Amino acid sequence: MNNRKLHMPIAETKYVFIGSDDKSLDLYSSFIKICFSQEAMENVQIKKMSTFGLSSRSSIVKVFPGNHIYENVTLSDVETIVKEHLKGDKPVKRLLLKNEKLNYLKLKDDEAFYHKQYRVVLKNSGIIDPECIDDYISRSGYRGLAKIMANYSGEQVVDEIKKSGIRGRGGGGFPTWMKWKFTLEAPGEEKVVICNADEGDPGAYMDRSILEGDPHAILEGMIIAAYTVKAKNGYIYCRAEYPLAIERMEKAIAKAKEYGFLGDKILGTDFSFDVEIRLGAGAFVCGEETALIASIEGQRGMPRPRPPYPAVKGLWQNPTVINNVETYANIPVIMHKGGDWYGSIGTEKSKGTKVFALTGKVQNCGLVEVPMGTTLKEMVYDVGGGLSNKNNSLKAIQTGGPSGGVIPEKFIDSEISYEALTELGSIMGSGGMIIMDNTDCMVDVAKFYLQFTVDESCGKCAPCRIGTRQMLNLLEDVTSGIAKVDTLVRIRHIAEAMSKASLCGLGQTASNPVKSTMKHFADEYKSHVYDKICPTKKCKRLVSYTIDKEKCIGCTLCAKKCPANCIAGARKEPHIIDQSKCIKCGKCEEVCKFDAVIVN
Amino acid sequence: MAKFDSVKAFDGYKAPTKKSPTTILVGMGTCGIAAGASKVKKKLEEQIAAKGLTGVEIKSVGCLGLCFSEPNIEVLVDGMPQVLYGKVDEDMAVKIVDSHLLNKTVLDENIIDKPYIDIINQ
């Protein structure tokens, strides 16, 4: 077979991509029609593209070469674009996209921002081969490290980090520069740098993505930290449930050593630093810094009282910097582009960007990175493309995983920042963001998270060990319709006690979902307790399935499909469900073609 | 011996960006692989070999963050715009080779507007 070389594309071909939602379907046909009539079809390719239900711009048209982006294009604009741009080669300036003026992000003229994402941490993810160190270097990789090793002292690095304003991305939001400063100033010769890659929040996978997609960013961040505090050893504590991440990180460490960025005498200087991977065994509590340290030391992962903080007495009593994956991944670009550049993104007290795992009832579930200051509304309707079921209505947004709370729809114009989310009764957390609509039961949400924390409590302190279990029992009473008059009060008391007296963050924050849902959705709780009704019909014990005698024609389909065999009835006679055997699976309602099953 | 024995040595290093005339980026994070990206990648390799094409590099990249449309593939052909395809299956992989690579014609379906810019302007 001959080796066929790919011939060069036809010169001067123009490509038109039309952002398609219902309106734009007309745009597409309109472009084709007008291009034909203007005899412009020869070197033009017109294609439809999905813009994910973007709500802030009604239609987007992109023209290449040159990446010209038109917005809010109407049918009457099509002829202008075809004549002046496609045929005449002059973009129609007045129709081009204009970025809104944002106080949390300064954009260059050619940086289009209508999608609301700004990828700093994820700048390489999806672009480079994570196993190729040269790919990383070609995009300013390790230049931050080289810059500081040539010109900066540890104190100067701390100053630069301070300028950037970056705060811990694992959920604590503690100013990173302060943590590094404490460790730098602490007495001790064997300082340590640890990366917390345990990522235990259910539904959160931001760290996994960074580990798999751009492992060198994390390594460079750790090496910069080690240089700053004069550490000799580093550990990446990664949960064993991330085998691909571990594999890619191992390869990255080997390559970094080969190139001289890690190991003995880094880049020929006296600075030596080595990194090992340690695997977690799936305990959520080991994401807590002191429990993580205990785990590396070979002990059972249980937290200990603080102070002293790990910065002063950490791994094997040595001063230890322990930061989250996302925090480290930000460091190289901060050192390379400067703390001031990073500090120009975000709000006054929450600088930079944040990666979120946007999931739940949205169209576009995935990993997104937005600047701090973006509103929740933009997250749901622009980034998320709106609700997945347009017939439902937005109810609440849950952030922060098992330590967070729900934010009801009425606060949707709130900005995303550490302060704003805390004020609303939730937390930033590590980045889980779950969108809930009117079919979600808030009591069920609280119960779900509590089921998780009950399993994950290490058991060391009584408030958490006993409190989580008691709260879960009470919540189960609520969702089964056997709650008593004082159940809600008892839940509140336990929640208070746990948040004040638990040894670590797990126990202190385990009651947040309950507290938050009880505050904002008190009516739902009351309905469960006093009326024994679940308004969304999610809580199975409170829901009953019956058959409407008027509508049932006796086709026997439901009886055949019922997994509990609890539907009886003769052919052509109305059927009856035995309530004592019914497991509320909903199969009968699903298969009935006559709408005869009543759910209440 | 480490590759760079001084900061200066590294400063003077320009990483080889072996840019082929055609590059296909296949999202191979855990999400992509779970959705079938490995099969799609294999199909692409098969097709390219079968049609005897040269100058094509298939690269495994990390997660693009567009989890709802995995497997995601980005096609970069010299002289053509970068195109991002979503929900790519093996049939589409064949079409990409035939239509996009050989015929220099972008496909009519599954094109996604990448929802972010590259902050590193190359």
Side-chain angles (χ1 to χ4, degrees):
Chain A
M1 193 177 291
N2 299 330
N3 267 352
R4 282 158 63 179
K5 275 227 168 87
L6 296 173
H7 55 274
M8 283 306 293
I10 308 163
E12 321 258 353
T13 308
K14 288 205 169 54
Y15 301 83
V16 183
F17 294 94
I18 298 168
S20 60
D21 45 30
D22 292 275
K23 258 212 248 166
S24 298
L25 208 45
D26 290 319
L27 273 185
Y28 175 71
S29 321
S30 174
F31 262 96
I32 298 204
K33 219 171 41 176
I34 297 187
C35 279
F36 261 118
S37 69
Q38 293 284 322
E39 290 177 11
M41 275 311 280
E42 177 70 39
N43 290 324
V44 170
Q45 287 187 34
I46 301 175
K47 307 287 168 185
K48 282 189 255 186
M49 79 179 169
S50 171
T51 52
F52 321 117
L54 191 69
S55 80
S56 63
R57 299 284 196 282
S58 63
S59 44
I60 297 280
V61 175
K62 281 184 160 175
V63 181
F64 293 84
N67 194 13
H68 305 278
I69 308 178
Y70 294 105
E71 60 164 331
N72 299 328
V73 177
T74 61
L75 287 172
S76 46
D77 294 324
V78 180
E79 195 166 335
T80 320
I81 296 177
V82 175
K83 279 199 181 143
E84 292 182 28
H85 191 162
L86 299 185
K87 287 185 84 180
D89 240 343
K90 272 183 76 188
V92 188
K93 281 218 168 83
R94 63 177 174 84
L95 294 174
L96 289 175
L97 179 112
K98 286 159 202 60
N99 286 326
E100 319 163 25
K101 271 240 161 339
L102 301 161
N103 51 9
Y104 56 78
L105 189 64
K106 284 173 201 36
L107 294 154
K108 293 191 220 134
D109 284 330
D110 59 347
E111 286 184 321
F113 187 66
Y114 59 97
H115 277 295
K116 313 292 166 93
Q117 287 196 54
Y118 198 67
R119 298 202 155 203
V120 173
V121 171
L122 297 174
K123 67 184 188 312
N124 289 334
S125 199
I127 298 179
I128 63 167
D129 178 352
E131 302 190 3
C132 175
I133 191 174
D134 276 320
D135 268 8
Y136 180 68
I137 292 176
S138 72
R139 288 170 64 85
S140 314
Y142 289 109
R143 300 295 175 190
L145 176 66
K147 183 173 168 186
I148 63 159
M149 286 184 72
N151 293 318
Y152 285 59
S153 66
E155 286 82 1
Q156 284 169 313
V157 176
V158 169
D159 277 337
E160 201 67 31
I161 307 275
K162 187 174 182 183
K163 264 194 244 168
S164 76
I166 184 173
R167 295 163 66 167
R169 293 289 191 253
F174 188 77
T176 306
W177 70 271
M178 246 190 229
K179 199 180 253 194
W180 290 22
K181 184 162 192 272
F182 292 152
T183 314
L184 168 61
E185 291 171 348
E189 288 298 310
E190 299 288 323
K191 299 191 187 176
V192 179
V193 168
I194 297 181
C195 173
N196 185 343
D198 194 54
E199 193 159 58
D201 278 8
Y205 53 101
M206 302 72 58
D207 293 349
R208 169 171 70 66
S209 246
I210 304 170
L211 286 159
E212 289 174 359
D214 195 7
H216 284 284
I218 302 162
L219 270 185
E220 192 183 343
M222 287 177 75
I223 303 170
I224 291 174
Y227 175 85
T228 306
V229 305
K230 299 190 190 11
K232 295 193 185 135
N233 292 297
Y235 299 87
I236 298 176
Y237 188 88
C238 186
R239 60 196 328 231
E241 288 99 316
Y242 286 172
L244 186 58
I246 293 165
E247 187 189 312
R248 297 220 169 130
M249 188 46 97
E250 278 174 345
K251 289 191 177 150
I253 291 174
K255 267 293 173 190
K257 279 204 184 127
E258 196 188 299
Y259 274 48
F261 301 121
L262 206 55
D264 259 343
K265 296 199 174 309
I266 294 177
L267 290 180
T269 65
D270 285 325
F271 169 45
S272 299
F273 175 63
D274 208 352
V275 172
E276 268 179 52
I277 299 182
R278 291 296 170 91
L279 303 186
F284 176 63
V285 72
C286 285
E288 195 280 330
E289 54 184 17
T290 55
L292 191 158
I293 286 173
S295 178
I296 298 182
E297 289 175 355
Q299 302 174 54
R300 187 173 186 267
M302 294 194 300
R304 57 161 178 73
R306 285 155 295 158
Y309 288 91
V312 175
K313 281 206 185 307
L315 189 63
W316 291 302
Q317 301 301 303
N318 295 312
T320 304
V321 167
I322 171 166
N323 274 125
N324 170 269
V325 165
E326 197 183 329
T327 314
Y328 283 121
N330 272 300
I331 302 292
V333 72
I334 289 174
M335 295 319 298
H336 177 67
K337 285 192 164 207
D340 286 327
W341 169 82
Y342 193 82
S344 71
I345 306 170
T347 66
E348 195 199 318
K349 299 219 181 95
S350 298
K351 297 291 182 195
T353 58
K354 180 80 190 76
V355 181
F356 286 98
L358 187 62
T359 54
K361 304 278 169 67
V362 274
Q363 288 265 38
N364 318 322
C365 291
L367 265 201
V368 302
E369 187 175 350
V370 295
M372 300 279 197
T374 307
T375 62
L376 290 168
K377 192 183 204 163
E378 287 173 308
M379 279 298 266
V380 178
Y381 294 107
D382 289 328
V383 180
L387 293 179
S388 48
N389 186 336
K390 302 272 181 229
N391 296 324
N392 293 343
S393 56
L394 180 66
K395 192 170 186 180
I397 299 172
Q398 204 278 340
T399 63
S403 309
V406 297
I407 299 168
E409 191 272 338
K410 60 183 183 225
F411 297 115
I412 202 177
D413 286 310
S414 163
E415 69 178 19
I416 294 174
S417 68
Y418 288 100
E419 293 68 40
L421 292 180
T422 311
E423 231 174 281
L424 290 169
S426 184
I427 60 169
M428 177 82 71
S430 59
M433 187 175 276
I434 305 180
I435 309 298
M436 299 173 178
D437 66 16
N438 57 301
T439 61
D440 287 301
C441 174
M442 292 292 122
V443 185
D444 188 58
V445 166
K447 193 175 84 164
F448 164 76
Y449 279 122
L450 215 42
Q451 281 165 333
F452 179 76
T453 34
V454 160
D455 265 347
E456 298 291 343
S457 168
C458 77
K460 184 170 178 180
C461 72
C464 175
R465 181 180 75 242
I466 302 175
T468 48
R469 182 74 254 176
Q470 292 296 333
M471 254 204 304
L472 179 61
N473 287 350
L474 291 170
L475 274 180
E476 277 178 349
D477 285 352
V478 172
T479 56
S480 310
I482 54 174
K484 302 200 183 62
V485 174
D486 64 346
T487 300
L488 296 182
V489 174
R490 289 177 68 200
I491 292 178
R492 260 190 223 111
H493 284 166
I494 298 176
E496 275 310 300
M498 277 179 64
S499 48
K500 289 195 176 135
S502 297
L503 182 56
C504 80
L506 193 159
Q508 287 155 9
T509 60
S511 53
N512 284 357
V514 178
K515 278 202 266 191
S516 173
T517 48
M518 278 178 81
K519 174 172 176 205
H520 293 296
F521 296 94
D523 287 338
E524 268 191 63
Y525 276 87
K526 287 193 187 131
S527 174
H528 281 72
V529 173
Y530 300 116
D531 304 329
K532 318 284 186 211
I533 290 178
C534 173
T536 59
K537 306 191 183 159
K538 266 266 167 79
C539 299
K540 293 292 177 194
R541 293 293 205 69
L542 297 183
V543 160
S544 66
Y545 286 80
T546 48
I547 295 180
D548 186 344
K549 288 198 296 239
E550 314 286 311
K551 292 195 181 156
C552 176
I553 61 147
C555 72
T556 75
L557 185 58
C558 59
K560 292 199 183 100
K561 297 286 182 185
C562 173
N565 271 329
C566 68
I567 305 182
R571 272 195 97 76
K572 305 226 174 126
E573 298 282 329
H575 282 40
I576 299 182
I577 299 173
D578 184 346
Q579 295 297 322
S580 64
K581 294 202 186 122
C582 175
I583 60 165
K584 334 273 175 143
C585 67
K587 199 79 193 153
C588 51
E589 194 210 1
E590 201 186 304
V591 303
C592 178
K593 298 191 175 85
F594 302 95
D595 252 346
V597 180
I598 307 169
V599 188
N600 51 24
Chain B
M1 261 308 292
K3 186 168 173 133
F4 302 110
D5 58 2
S6 69
V7 175
K8 214 163 168 214
F10 177 57
D11 279 343
Y13 176 71
K14 206 164 179 276
T17 40
K18 41 186 170 83
K19 248 194 120 263
S20 314
T22 298
T23 316
I24 304 184
L25 305 179
V26 183
M28 294 280 275
T30 299
C31 40
I33 296 174
S38 313
K39 288 202 199 134
V40 172
K41 181 167 180 245
K42 220 163 150 216
K43 195 64 171 189
L44 286 168
E45 286 166 347
E46 245 176 63
Q47 286 294 302
I48 287 167
K51 312 265 156 116
L53 303 179
T54 57
V56 183
E57 186 194 348
I58 301 187
K59 217 167 166 158
S60 293
V61 296
C63 171
L64 281 91
L66 303 161
C67 309
F68 62 97
S69 75
E70 289 285 1
N72 293 313
I73 297 216
E74 244 188 309
V75 183
L76 292 81
V77 175
D78 269 354
M80 288 175 77
Q82 209 162 311
V83 180
L84 175 59
Y85 294 105
K87 293 213 168 56
V88 180
D89 56 19
E90 284 167 292
D91 290 333
M92 258 190 85
V94 177
K95 282 193 220 165
I96 288 175
V97 176
D98 286 337
S99 176
H100 195 142
L101 299 191
L102 279 169
N103 230 5
K104 300 293 188 268
T105 305
V106 176
L107 296 192
D108 284 310
E109 50 192 353
N110 293 38
I111 299 177
I112 299 184
D113 184 16
K114 198 162 172 186
Y116 46 86
I117 49 167
D118 187 348
I119 66 165
I120 302 211
N121 297 326
Q122 301 250 264

